[in-house]
């Protein structure tokens, strides 16, 4: 893979196009973008029958992001939703959701094992250790397995440099956020290493009870045994603790009184991931690798989303929970890639085995709800206080051993010179041996599924390409969903606990066509994708009046839309314009919960899914003046369209448009930079939702007021003298 130094400002990643390597301020060399994630091996864009974007090192370095969403949202068709303190959910070919429809990879390896999805997995990522990010939109279950449905995000870490390199920096804003970061590495003889660490701290922010602390350390060592064989180790350690300020009510949101209703909710994570990979090139046409890995993850929380309260049913009381989800993983994956002279064919095949023991428990909190003045049934909560912790009242208590076995293969070949056909298949077998302490049951759940894909690329000209594909995806229910007591059962209800043992895997069929265009010798690029995806047995979260969630895997949904991105470099590459976005529609096709017109959970057939913006996009203008070398500035526009707050389509949120400004200058290795996020001080919320009742009140995940971030960084590199 060739390293890029000139960029498509992130989102462009124009799945089509061409990396630009800047040799000086006036000369550029056009190179084909190379992707790994969509085909599990280095593949040119014109040979990739998928919508894929690549966020380059240059874009990552210039963004100076506090959290990953600032970078990832630059990819066309992607909306990563900020939930505060690096917590997040995602919307790629899906509504904004916490469901297990996205696969997060670290150098090609899933961050979580199958069945233990967590929508906040990317908060464990070290932003100072990223070389680039690849985003595949749509199902790739035929290569990566379950959860690779809406999108797959592969975070690729920095490789050891040939020459000694070191960088150190600090950044801070006016709301009490600050971060120290350092990274460095070199290659000595056959051994190369790279180490990167960050330490982030938030105190006394714009919203009450919103402090957090995060520490991450990544270390990579490459041992070049010989010219054909390499041994690579990669280890990540992370520790995270955050207050969970939660949402605010409508009045507080519009008055900008950003006051949390709790002072006790939190989320904490301890993560360790380590892997050892042996790579071997048999010849120019064949290579293999085998990776052994280990994960150790502990996630504990007193979640703000776990608070259940109704304005009409005992409004002065509420309940919450404390829970803990801990797992370890022991696994291995092996892969071989082989090229043939016949029809320029290439086969990629591999197998995976993963054993992940997990334990989970949750117990009840009894709370008092202190109300703001208001008419009965229209009151809102001023603050909650815990009146009793009830570890004796378990909401969930299980242990499970998860076994995942998988095998996959992909074949690509050229029946004609400009036509490439790609086909692939994978078989996954997920077995869960469980012991549920709440109903004293034990047993085995098995979810197995073959998935297939077929795609075609047609490249009639050097500057034009088209593709089409059909791909399947599937996602088994997360085991946390299976073994939690259903609302209205267990706990203090007096009714025996009931569980979601009958939840079925969700399956998806995706049809897609797209292409790319390049004009003016690569200065103007454009790509696009049209998709139509149907989901069956989708795991849908139904929000009940007391804010609890009921899971249903009986839904059938339709997702369709167009994604587009463009990039234009002109004025001798001094000015870059990047634009992109998506127009989409997400609809319930068959989701009949009740046939009673007065029931809040009535027949939803034909209704739009909630938290599903019709459009979203991110565009940017960047300026690199020749008359002021190593100075940069950019102006970014993020837009999110309106969407329904509830499943019964009664109330919409208008969406938002915000603008960000960034500038930086480097002199003799010293870089100073500044970002202004939410330049116009727009009042907006990342997410707005409400229960499915006419009297329910909306809750707002408020976004920060205008934020000034400043930073200072020292970049050092030493070029080795030839012997």
């Amino acid at each position: 893979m060739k390293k890029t130094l000139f960029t498509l400002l992130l989102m462009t990643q124009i799945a089509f196009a061409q990396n630009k390597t800047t040799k000086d301020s006036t000369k550029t060399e056009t190179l084909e973008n190379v992707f790994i994630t969509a085909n599990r091996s280095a593949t040119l864009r014109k040979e990739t029958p998928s919508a894929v974007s690549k966020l380059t090192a240059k874009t990552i370095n210039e963004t100076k992001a506090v959290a990953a969403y600032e970078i990832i949202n630059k990819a066309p068709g992607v909306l990563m939703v900020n939930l505060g303190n690096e917590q997040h959910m995602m919307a790629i070919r899906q509504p904004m959701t916490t469901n297990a429809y996205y696969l997060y990879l670290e150098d090609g390896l899933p961050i979580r094992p199958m069945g233990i999805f967590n929508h906040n997995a990317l908060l464990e990522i070290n932003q100072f250790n990223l070389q680039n990010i690849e985003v595949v939109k749509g199902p790739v279950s035929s290569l990566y397995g379950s959860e690779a449905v809406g999108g797959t995000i592969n975070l690729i870490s920095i490789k050891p440099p040939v020459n000694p390199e070191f960088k150190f920096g600090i950044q801070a804003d006016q709301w009490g956020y600050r971060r120290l970061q350092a990274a460095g590495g070199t290659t000595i003889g056959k051994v190369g290493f790279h180490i990167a660490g960050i330490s982030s701290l938030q105190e006394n922010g714009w919203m009450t009870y919103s402090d957090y602390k995060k520490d991450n350390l990544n270390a990579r060592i490459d041992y070049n045994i010989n010219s054909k064989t390499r041994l690579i180790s990669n280890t990540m350690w992370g520790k995270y603790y955050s207050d969970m300020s939660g949402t605010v009510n409508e009045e507080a949101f519009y008055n900008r009184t950003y006051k949390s209703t709790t002072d006790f909710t939190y989320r904490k994570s301890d993560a360790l991931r380590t892997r050892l990979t042996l790579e071997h090139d048999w010849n120019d046409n064949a290579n293999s690798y085998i990776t052994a890995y280990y994960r150790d993850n502990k996630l504990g929380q007193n979640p703000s989303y776990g608070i259940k309260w109704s304005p009409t049913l005992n409004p002065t009381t509420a309940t919450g929970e404390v829970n803990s989800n801990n797992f370890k993983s022991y696994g291995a994956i092996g892969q071989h890639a082989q090229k043939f002279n016949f029809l320029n064919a290439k086969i990629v095949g591999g197998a995976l085995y993963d054993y992940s023991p997990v334990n989970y428990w949750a117990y009840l909190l009894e709370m008092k709800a202190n109300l703001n003045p208001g008419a009965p049934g229209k009151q809102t909560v001023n603050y909650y206080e815990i009146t009793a912790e009830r570890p004796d009242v378990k909401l969930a208590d299980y242990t499970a051993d998860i076994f995942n076995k998988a095998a996959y293969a992909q074949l690509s070949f050229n029946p004609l010179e400009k036509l490439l056909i790609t086909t692939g298949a994978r078989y996954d077998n997920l077995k869960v041996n469980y012991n549920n302490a709440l109903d004293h049951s034990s047993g085995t759940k098995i979810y197995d599924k073959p998935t297939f894909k077929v795609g075609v690329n047609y490249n009639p000209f050097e500057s034009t390409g088209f593709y089409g594909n059909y791909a399947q995806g599937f996602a088994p229910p997360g085991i946390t969903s299976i073994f939690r007591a259903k609302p209205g059962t267990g706990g203090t209800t007096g009714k025996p606990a009931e569980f979601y043992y009958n939840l079925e895997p969700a399956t998806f069929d995706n049809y897609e066509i797209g292409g790319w265009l390049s004009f003016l010798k690569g200065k103007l690029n454009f790509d696009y994708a049209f998709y139509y995806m149907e989901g069956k047995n989708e795991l849908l979260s139904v929000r009940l009046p007391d804010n609890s969630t009921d899971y249903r895997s009986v839904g059938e949904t339709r997702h369709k839309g167009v994604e587009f991105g463009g990039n234009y470099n002109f004025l001798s590459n001094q000015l870059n314009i990047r634009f992109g976005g998506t127009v989409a529609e997400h609809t319930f096709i068959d989701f009949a919960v009740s046939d009673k017109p007065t029931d809040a959970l009535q027949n939803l057939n034909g209704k739009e899914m909630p938290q599903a913006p019709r459009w979203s996009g991110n565009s940017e203008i960047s300026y690199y003046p020749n008359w002021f070398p190593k100075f940069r500035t950019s102006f970014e526009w993020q837009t999110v369209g309106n969407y329904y707050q509830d499943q019964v389509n009664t109330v919409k949120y208008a969406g938002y448009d915000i603008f960000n400004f960034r500038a930086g200058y480097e002199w003799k290795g010293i870089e100073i930079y500044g970002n202004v996020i939410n330049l116009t001080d727009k009042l907006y919320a990342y997410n707005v939702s409400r229960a499915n009742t006419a009297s329910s009140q909306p809750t707002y995940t408020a976004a920060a007021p205008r934020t000034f971030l400043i930073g200072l960084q020292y970049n050092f590199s030493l070029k080795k003298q030839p012997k």
Side-chain angles (χ1 to χ4, degrees):
M1 183 185 296
K2 298 184 179 179
K3 185 178 179 181
T4 64
L5 300 176
F6 187 84
T7 186
L8 298 175
L9 270 145
L10 273 181
M11 174 176 181
T12 321
Q13 302 325 356
I14 297 184
F16 63 89
Q18 304 159 325
N19 278 349
K20 304 268 186 187
T21 301
T22 302
K23 292 183 175 179
D24 59 36
S25 60
T26 60
K27 298 179 181 179
T28 62
E29 180 181 357
T30 300
L31 302 173
E32 287 264 21
N33 241 336
V34 178
F35 297 89
I36 296 174
T37 308
N39 293 301
R40 273 197 178 270
S41 62
T43 308
L44 297 177
R45 174 63 190 97
K46 66 182 181 181
E47 299 171 352
T48 306
S50 306
V52 56
S53 299
K54 185 172 184 176
L55 309 178
T56 65
K58 185 174 187 291
T59 303
I60 294 170
N61 292 336
E62 290 183 355
T63 303
K64 305 298 185 188
V66 168
Y69 78 92
E70 296 177 51
I71 306 170
I72 293 174
N73 279 343
K74 295 176 185 289
V78 177
L79 179 61
M80 183 176 177
V81 184
N82 178 22
L83 298 180
N85 292 356
E86 303 193 42
Q87 300 163 107
H88 60 89
M89 57 182 177
M90 194 69 70
I92 309 175
R93 300 193 178 180
Q94 288 279 327
M96 296 183 287
T97 182
T98 60
N99 286 345
Y101 294 153
Y102 306 104
L103 185 63
Y104 302 129
L105 307 173
E106 207 171 37
D107 292 318
L109 191 68
I111 293 176
R112 294 283 196 279
M114 184 190 300
I116 315 181
F117 175 82
N118 188 284
H119 65 93
N120 280 310
L122 295 185
L123 66 78
E124 300 170 4
I125 295 302
N126 180 352
Q127 301 93 310
F128 214 52
N129 190 52
L130 295 177
Q131 176 65 34
N132 51 64
I133 302 172
E134 294 184 352
V135 182
V136 183
K137 288 152 279 186
V140 285
S141 290
S142 62
L143 279 178
Y144 290 97
S146 74
E147 300 169 0
V149 175
T152 298
I153 297 178
N154 190 9
L155 301 114
I156 299 172
S157 61
I158 297 174
K159 296 180 180 179
V162 175
N163 300 316
E165 293 182 3
F166 174 77
K167 56 183 181 179
F168 171 80
I170 184 171
Q171 58 185 37
D173 67 23
Q174 84 272 32
W175 303 118
Y177 172 83
R178 53 192 183 273
R179 185 170 86 196
L180 292 173
Q181 49 198 15
T186 190
T187 297
I188 303 173
K190 293 186 175 183
V191 179
F193 69 90
H194 183 267
I195 300 173
I198 62 171
S199 181
S200 305
L201 182 66
Q202 168 72 59
E203 293 181 309
N204 303 317
W206 55 273
M207 186 166 185
T208 62
Y209 199 69
S210 61
D211 293 356
Y212 90 104
K213 182 173 175 55
K214 170 181 170 179
D215 296 295
N216 273 75
L217 184 66
N218 291 73
R220 172 171 172 161
I221 301 175
D222 291 14
Y223 175 44
N224 297 294
I225 300 172
N226 54 48
S227 61
K228 293 182 177 293
T229 308
R230 298 163 297 281
L231 192 63
I232 302 169
S233 73
N234 215 327
T235 299
M236 170 273 176
W237 171 86
K239 193 175 184 66
Y240 174 93
Y241 183 92
S242 175
D243 298 337
M244 289 185 69
S245 51
T247 58
V248 297
N249 62 45
E250 191 167 46
E251 181 181 6
F253 173 74
Y254 283 106
N255 290 332
R256 290 198 170 192
T257 52
Y258 300 120
K259 180 180 179 297
S260 175
T261 56
T262 68
D263 60 2
F264 51 81
T265 49
Y266 65 86
R267 171 175 284 124
K268 60 181 180 180
S269 171
D270 292 277
L272 173 68
R273 294 189 288 272
T274 187
R275 57 193 290 179
L276 184 65
T277 300
L278 179 65
E279 297 180 345
H280 183 70
D281 301 325
W282 302 98
N283 51 52
D284 291 342
N285 294 319
N287 62 78
S288 305
Y289 75 79
I290 184 167
T291 297
Y293 60 86
Y294 170 74
R295 308 182 188 102
D296 187 356
N297 191 283
K298 301 177 179 65
L299 180 66
Q301 53 185 1
N302 181 337
S304 56
Y305 67 78
I307 296 176
K308 299 173 177 58
W309 171 80
S310 170
T312 56
L313 304 172
N314 299 320
T316 59
T317 63
T319 61
E321 67 177 81
V322 174
N323 64 52
S324 178
N325 189 7
N326 308 312
F327 70 86
K328 295 183 179 181
S329 295
Y330 311 85
I333 181 172
Q335 178 176 296
H336 179 75
Q338 182 75 50
K339 295 180 181 178
F340 301 92
N341 293 328
F342 178 69
L343 297 181
N344 194 29
K346 180 179 179 179
I347 294 178
V348 177
L352 172 142
Y353 177 82
D354 184 288
Y355 164 58
S356 297
V358 58
N359 69 82
Y360 181 96
W361 53 259
Y363 65 78
L364 184 73
L365 295 177
E366 295 178 353
M367 290 189 253
K368 177 182 178 182
N370 296 279
L371 305 179
N372 293 308
K378 300 291 185 179
Q379 294 166 304
T380 58
V381 176
N382 184 26
Y383 66 95
Y384 296 99
E385 57 181 306
I386 298 175
T387 56
E389 290 201 33
R390 299 293 305 275
D392 58 310
V393 180
K394 293 291 177 62
L395 306 176
D397 188 8
Y398 67 85
T399 60
D401 290 329
I402 301 175
F403 301 88
N404 180 25
K405 293 168 285 187
Y408 59 89
Q410 178 174 278
L411 168 67
S412 61
F413 61 95
N414 287 103
L416 300 173
E417 180 182 359
K418 297 180 179 181
L419 183 69
L420 178 73
I421 295 176
T422 302
T423 183
R426 174 169 168 141
Y427 172 72
D428 281 276
N429 182 284
L430 175 66
K431 183 172 74 170
V432 181
N433 294 335
Y434 67 89
N435 287 282
N436 188 349
L438 292 192
D439 64 356
H440 307 289
S441 67
S442 61
T444 298
K445 300 286 291 183
I446 295 178
Y447 305 96
D448 62 337
K449 178 72 176 175
T451 49
F452 304 92
K453 80 167 185 179
V454 60
V456 59
N457 288 89
Y458 177 55
N459 303 291
F461 309 107
E462 189 67 24
S463 60
T464 306
F466 305 94
Y467 77 87
N469 77 49
Y470 164 72
Q472 296 178 332
F474 89 106
I479 61 172
T480 303
S481 304
I482 298 173
F483 298 113
R484 285 186 63 89
K486 292 183 178 181
T489 71
T492 58
T493 64
K495 300 179 181 178
E498 298 179 9
F499 300 91
Y500 298 89
Y501 291 130
N502 294 324
L503 289 178
E504 296 292 331
T507 60
F508 297 83
D509 293 283
N510 183 77
Y511 306 86
E512 181 176 340
I513 58 172
W516 55 270
L517 303 168
S518 182
F519 305 101
L520 304 176
K521 297 181 180 180
K523 293 182 180 296
L524 176 60
N525 299 300
F526 180 75
D527 74 318
Y528 58 91
F530 295 88
Y531 69 90
Y532 179 94
M533 182 168 67
E534 288 192 349
K536 296 181 180 179
N537 289 327
E538 278 208 53
L539 179 61
L540 300 173
S541 302
V542 178
R543 189 175 170 194
L544 302 178
D546 67 351
N547 202 40
S548 63
T549 298
D550 191 16
Y551 297 103
R552 313 281 176 107
S553 64
V554 297
E556 183 175 340
T557 60
R558 180 180 63 226
H559 312 268
K560 61 181 181 179
V562 56
E563 300 157 346
F564 59 91
N567 192 78
Y568 181 36
N569 295 310
F570 57 103
L571 293 180
S572 299
N573 294 315
Q574 295 182 86
L575 198 63
N576 176 278
I577 298 177
R578 172 185 58 79
F579 61 91
T582 182
V583 179
E585 183 179 302
H586 307 280
T587 310
F588 292 109
I589 301 302
D590 183 12
F591 191 27
V593 180
S594 171
D595 57 3
K596 297 179 181 178
T598 58
D599 197 322
L601 302 179
Q602 56 192 273
N603 188 313
L604 300 179
N605 295 358
K607 294 186 181 295
E608 289 188 37
M609 300 179 73
Q611 284 78 54
R614 281 291 188 99
W615 71 87
S616 64
N618 183 288
S619 301
E620 194 165 14
I621 300 176
S622 301
Y623 182 47
Y624 308 87
N626 286 342
W627 54 269
F628 194 8
K630 296 193 175 182
F631 175 78
R632 60 173 175 82
T633 185
S634 67
F635 183 78
E636 180 184 37
W637 170 35
Q638 175 77 50
T639 180
V640 174
N642 62 66
Y643 56 84
Y644 283 107
Q645 301 174 18
D646 56 354
Q647 289 174 306
V648 292
N649 290 185
T650 57
V651 184
K652 279 188 172 183
Y653 175 58
Y656 56 87
D657 294 274
I658 63 163
F659 302 93
N660 305 319
F661 175 79
R662 297 179 175 91
Y665 175 64
E666 184 176 350
W667 178 77
K668 293 186 177 181
I670 299 174
E671 183 181 8
I672 185 169
Y673 58 89
N675 298 347
V676 185
I677 307 300
N678 190 7
L679 184 65
T680 63
D681 201 24
K682 170 86 171 181
L683 173 65
Y684 72 104
Y686 291 114
N687 185 40
V688 184
S689 64
R690 66 172 70 206
N692 298 296
T693 61
S695 62
S696 64
Q697 300 295 310
T699 58
Y700 293 77
T701 304
R706 180 168 46 229
T707 300
F708 298 92
L709 178 81
I710 58 172
L712 184 67
Q713 185 169 306
Y714 176 62
N715 305 300
F716 169 82
S717 62
L718 178 64
K719 194 168 185 179
K720 293 180 180 179
Q721 297 297 321
K723 294 182 180 180

